[in-house]
Amino acid sequence: MKIISPFGPKIAKLKFSSSLIKKINAEVDLIINKKSLLKKLDYSKKLVGQVKQEFQLPKTFVKKNLEKVISDEVKKYIFQTIGKKVTKISIKSFWVVRQFTNEYNPVHYHDGHISGVGYLKIPKFVSKNSKKKSKTDGTIDFINGNKMFLSDSIYNHQPKVGDVILFPNYLMHTAYPFKSNGERRSFSFNLEIDSKIANVFSR
């Protein structure tokens, strides 16, 4: 895990194993191929994404395959950032985003205390504008405050399969569209930790 502080709020960057990514993708493919299950798990009405599909992963799958690894990483993230030991972690929501050509996620923030985003499939981003190749196609921006001398307000991440980023729920972010064919498949989650740690006014 690498903790970075590009503008104030701390961000953690880590990797999920290829075997775990494969397992999540298999579950996603299973859901996609079952229309009744896809309809049941649809999460699009609660999200702002202008994308093809957004749906939850079953809670049983999350508990069995993801709860421990996420909890362990969040504990490290909090301890390395503020030196506090988290004893309570509750995943409130976990969903998948399937993004295709020209689709995007507008600037937004999340619920809970800690949020995460991870990447399951990434197409080869190719700009169709030959005069000026875009460096933001398919990437994610994290935004905080205003740009000032020695202080940037935007941190851009170019995702790779397996990348996972942890960040405080209030940190605004946006996923850019892309022109190439293929699917940009990601997952996001929100969780809550010990209220005495998350509430800075309780210290």
Side-chain angles (χ1 to χ4, degrees):
M1 176 184 289
K2 180 180 181 182
I3 304 293
I4 60 174
S5 182
F7 36 58
K10 305 295 191 296
I11 293 175
K13 297 170 68 177
L14 54 127
K15 281 275 190 183
F16 273 5
S17 67
S18 57
S19 60
L20 182 54
I21 293 297
K22 185 177 180 180
K23 187 175 291 186
I24 300 171
N25 272 323
E27 181 70 12
V28 171
D29 291 336
L30 179 68
I31 294 169
I32 293 169
N33 291 321
K34 289 187 177 181
K35 291 185 178 180
S36 59
L37 185 57
L38 184 60
K39 184 178 181 180
K40 179 182 178 182
L41 296 171
D42 179 63
Y43 206 48
S44 58
K45 291 182 179 179
K46 295 187 177 182
L47 304 171
V48 298
Q50 302 298 309
V51 298
K52 181 180 177 67
Q53 284 180 339
E54 295 170 305
F55 53 86
Q56 298 180 84
L57 283 186
K59 292 181 179 179
T60 51
F61 179 86
V62 173
K63 185 173 183 62
K64 180 180 178 181
N65 300 286
L66 295 163
E67 190 175 82
K68 186 179 187 305
V69 66
I70 289 174
S71 294
D72 289 346
E73 295 295 346
V74 167
K75 287 177 182 178
K76 287 190 288 185
Y77 170 40
I78 299 300
F79 186 76
Q80 290 183 38
T81 300
I82 59 174
K84 301 284 186 179
K85 291 186 177 181
V86 174
T87 59
K88 176 187 174 184
I89 294 177
S90 175
I91 298 176
K92 310 303 291 185
S93 52
F94 194 110
W95 68 97
V96 170
V97 178
R98 301 185 70 210
Q99 181 182 348
F100 294 85
T101 306
N102 293 324
E103 297 180 339
Y104 65 96
N105 223 319
V107 176
H108 64 288
Y109 52 86
H110 288 191
D111 295 325
H113 296 137
I114 301 296
S115 296
V117 60
Y119 298 93
L120 301 166
K121 287 187 178 182
I122 300 293
K124 184 177 181 181
F125 299 128
V126 179
S127 176
K128 292 185 178 180
N129 185 345
S130 58
K131 293 182 179 179
K132 186 177 182 181
K133 184 176 181 181
S134 172
K135 293 182 179 180
T136 57
D137 282 9
T139 66
I140 184 171
D141 269 355
F142 292 93
I143 308 156
N144 183 74
N146 301 311
K147 181 175 176 61
M148 297 179 289
F149 178 57
L150 301 182
S151 178
D152 291 330
S153 61
I154 297 175
Y155 173 72
N156 178 261
H157 178 74
Q158 297 185 347
K160 294 180 176 60
V161 172
D163 285 356
V164 179
I165 300 176
L166 303 176
F167 54 96
N169 72 293
Y170 58 79
L171 185 58
M172 293 184 292
H173 53 286
T174 182
Y176 287 103
F178 54 91
K179 300 294 183 183
S180 53
N181 295 323
E183 177 184 357
R184 179 188 186 273
R185 181 183 293 183
S186 62
F187 61 80
S188 294
F189 57 85
N190 297 327
L191 57 84
E192 293 181 352
I193 62 172
D194 313 57
S195 58
K196 288 185 178 180
I197 293 178
N199 182 7
V200 296
F201 299 105
S202 67
R203 295 174 189 171

